[in-house]
Amino acid sequence: MRRVTDLASFAPLLTPEGQTLLAALRDHDPAQELAVVSRLRRDHPAELVTAAVGQARLRQRAVAKFGAEDAYRMYFTPNGVEQSTRASVGTYRAGRMKALGVRSVADLCSGIGGDAIALARAGISVLAVDRDPLTAEVARANAEALGLAELIEVRCADVTDIDTAPYDAVFVDPARRGGRGRIFDPEAYSPPLSWAVEAARRAPHAALKVAPGIPHEAVPEDAEAEWISDGGDVKEAVLWFGTEPGARRATLLPSGAGVTGRGLPDPAVRPVGRYLYEPDGAVIRAHLVAEVAEELAGGLIDETIAYVTADTLTPTPYAAAYEITDELPFNLKKLRALLREREVGVLTVKKRGSAVEPEEIRRKVKPKGPHSATVLLTRVAGAPTMLIGRPAGGR
């Protein structure tokens, strides 16, 4: 079955017949796909039906990133769905650009146009550049579909050939996937991080999207590094130029709460108190656990574990809080007995610094009963430990 892999298979989707098919497939059930395809092929060319069904699948996957209203009007490639920025993150980043006074952006490695769309909706004019002809055409179709064509110019070109001098800012989202999957070496990005950094330094303002696992030593001294999470999941890191050189920041969406590094020393290790705090992943990636621990008047349970403990409950957007009722050496037999005694049937298992998998714990302790509990598998002062408790509010 032919998928949308080139311009020849994509172009028919933009015709009235293609649009009719996409509208008919909006709410189709993938489990009934064979029957749907057979029915549609009675009245439409087989290749067009196949392309439309493939696009309908991609739109359904894209809802999680773009929301239903946009996803069902947009067009995608498999890589485009996988690699595009979540709309909430793109909107936040575009807002920062707008606040910097940016009016025009050269969006290099623009993909299917997700970031260009966010920038245009912030009132910023965008040159969106991608070297793949199909991807560029999909980005152009998305600008048209969302009524943003006047603000987004799409160009199929190699980003290294683009003169960015006329633009207020540069945004670069290098490809971080290759034929063997995810790429971890920043110099193996396409284009390499070093090229992106030099392009950024030539512009008044710039933002480079990088993997959240980027080593801190790979962050240029003249860049601000920001780690962004959305709904508790770390989505990306951004290197900003023309803002606050050397700053380290964690930003949590959708609230927009942010914490900036102040060069604090590592928190002291102390005994487990009544409350345990699990910092947001962006806080941990940004190495800002010390800043959060100071806010909570807390310390670490182990010098290598990013759990903060304190004796009082302090509401914070930067960490999830648990009230700890029991602290036990790691022992499944004791855990099973305790859970049986308390009639715990709903068991949440979390881990940090433990090799044991949560599913293995659930399978072996066989929780049963009307009550719930949370077990945190971790280390306390170097010793494997089980902390039992319950959510206590927090963020």
Side-chain angles (χ1 to χ4, degrees), residues 69-345:
E69 185 176 351
D70 281 352
Y72 285 112
R73 291 188 290 165
M74 292 173 66
Y75 302 90
F76 301 95
T77 64
N79 285 341
V81 172
E82 183 70 29
Q83 298 180 21
S84 58
T85 301
R86 183 179 289 259
S88 55
V89 178
T91 298
Y92 162 76
R93 202 185 319 102
R96 278 204 69 178
M97 286 275 195
K98 184 74 171 180
L100 290 169
V102 170
R103 294 170 298 176
S104 61
V105 172
D107 178 5
L108 309 180
C109 311
S110 61
I112 54 121
D115 288 290
I117 289 165
L119 290 163
R121 283 178 168 166
I124 298 171
S125 63
V126 185
L127 170 66
V129 183
D130 200 283
R131 68 182 179 183
D132 177 66
L134 173 61
T135 302
E137 189 60 32
V138 169
R140 189 174 290 111
N142 284 335
E144 291 279 356
L146 299 181
L148 298 169
E150 290 187 2
L151 282 170
I152 301 175
E153 175 194 349
V154 179
R155 191 179 302 174
C156 183
D158 190 310
V159 296
T160 62
D161 295 331
I162 300 299
D163 177 14
T164 60
Y167 299 89
D168 296 336
V170 167
F171 175 69
V172 189
D173 181 6
R176 295 183 301 282
R177 285 184 177 273
R180 297 183 179 180
R182 201 177 294 272
I183 296 171
F184 297 98
D185 177 8
E187 283 307 297
Y189 292 174
S190 179
L193 180 61
S194 57
W195 179 91
V197 168
E198 289 307 310
R201 287 172 174 156
R202 292 193 295 269
H205 297 287
L208 312 183
K209 179 179 172 181
V210 295
I214 184 172
H216 279 232
E217 57 270 22
V219 175
E221 291 183 0
D222 55 339
E224 170 199 335
E226 179 181 30
W227 282 261
I228 303 172
S229 67
D230 188 14
D233 295 327
V234 184
K235 294 301 178 184
E236 65 180 56
V238 185
L239 305 183
W240 292 91
F241 292 80
T243 54
E244 301 177 57
R248 299 292 180 269
R249 184 190 311 274
T251 299
L252 284 56
L253 302 178
S255 71
V259 58
T260 302
R262 289 182 283 116
L264 298 181
D266 291 340
V269 176
R270 52 151 289 176
V272 177
R274 182 175 178 182
Y275 296 99
L276 187 81
Y277 294 86
E278 180 183 22
D280 184 275
V283 170
I284 296 172
R285 292 280 194 177
H287 296 181
L288 298 179
V289 173
E291 280 72 10
V292 173
E294 182 181 72
E295 176 188 307
L296 300 171
L300 299 180
I301 63 170
D302 184 280
E303 62 181 6
T304 65
I305 303 294
Y307 277 143
V308 175
T309 188
D311 297 317
T312 56
L313 179 61
T314 303
T316 175
Y318 307 120
Y322 298 89
E323 183 175 11
I324 301 303
T325 57
D326 300 88
E327 177 183 351
L328 302 172
F330 183 82
N331 185 304
L332 288 181
K333 186 175 181 181
K334 288 183 178 180
L335 177 62
R336 185 165 49 243
L338 184 147
L339 297 177
R340 185 180 298 121
E341 176 187 331
R342 296 183 185 174
E343 297 182 305
V344 171

Side-chain angles (χ1 to χ4, degrees), residues 54-65:
Q55 192 60 217
R57 287 182 193 160
L58 294 175
R59 285 179 166 183
Q60 288 181 344
R61 286 173 54 194
V63 168
K65 283 191 174 182

Side-chain angles (χ1 to χ4, degrees), residues 339-340 344-347 361-369:
L339 297 177
R340 185 180 298 121
V344 171
V346 180
L347 184 65
I361 297 294
R362 293 191 191 92
R363 186 173 63 252
K364 290 185 176 180
V365 302
K366 300 177 181 177
K368 182 183 294 185

